[in-house]
């Protein structure tokens, strides 16, 4: 699953770079990333299904690693949802921010990824992850997107209790390995 996650993140990172180059822009504001419906199209992704609602593509509930009896709903409201031909479900929404991040960058969008769609295990941090993309096209974890100091104990704890953007922070910071 981590290989699929890494491949998906890498593909989105490459797409952002290509969009910036093609549009001759310094920010994603002038690219398909500015419009989720435009971004999640067959010209950018291998789409198997366009979802009329999140319920069409996502599992009803996702369990938490830290409390398997506790379930949470995903994805957050908003954005566009699709199923890719490889079975991955993507949600993307624009989440502009005015907070200045390192490199004079800003938070721009949020991705949620379910690596196997409605199929089990439906656990945040196992098959469901979230990450951000900056205005300049950089993939970011929770700490980078909020300009928060990375604290491993906080990251692992928040991942275990259903915050998908902390899970990817741990995986990316541990050379694409699940250590929690």
């Amino acid at each position: 699953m981590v290989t699929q996650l890494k491949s998906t993140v890498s593909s989105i990172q490459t797409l952002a770079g290509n969009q910036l180059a093609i549009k001759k822009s310094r920010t994603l504001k002038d690219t398909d990333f500015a419009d989720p419906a435009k971004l999640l199209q067959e010209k950018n992704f291998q789409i198997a299904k366009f979802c009329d609602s999140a319920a069409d593509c996502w599992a009803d509930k996702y369990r938490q690693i830290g409390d398997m009896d506790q379930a949470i709903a995903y994805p957050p409201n908003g954005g566009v949802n699709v199923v890719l031909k490889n079975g991955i479900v993507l949600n993307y929404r624009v989440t502009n921010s005015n907070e200045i991040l390192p490199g004079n960058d800003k938070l721009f969008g949020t991705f949620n990824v379910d690596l196997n769609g409605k199929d089990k295990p439906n656990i945040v941090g196992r098959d469901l992850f979230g990450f951000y993309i900056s205005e300049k096209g950089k993939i970011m974890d929770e700490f980078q997107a909020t300009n928060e100091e990375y604290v491993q104990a906080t990251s692992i704890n928040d991942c275990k209790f259903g915050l998908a953007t902390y899970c990817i922070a741990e995986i990316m910071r541990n050379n694409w390995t699940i250590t929690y």
Side-chain angles (χ1 to χ4, degrees), residues 86-99:
N86 62 5
I88 292 174
V89 177
L90 278 181
N91 167 272
Y92 174 67
R93 66 188 189 286
V94 175
T95 51
N96 289 313
S97 170
N98 290 325
E99 182 178 357

Side-chain angles (χ1 to χ4, degrees), residues 32-36 78-80 92-97 107-110 133:
D32 290 354
F33 281 81
D35 180 352
V80 173
Y92 174 67
R93 66 188 189 286
V94 175
T95 51
N96 289 313
S97 170
L107 177 63
F108 190 75
T110 304
I133 192 158

Side-chain angles (χ1 to χ4, degrees), residues 100-111:
I100 304 297
L101 300 173
N104 202 30
D105 209 349
K106 295 179 181 178
L107 177 63
F108 190 75
T110 304
F111 284 92

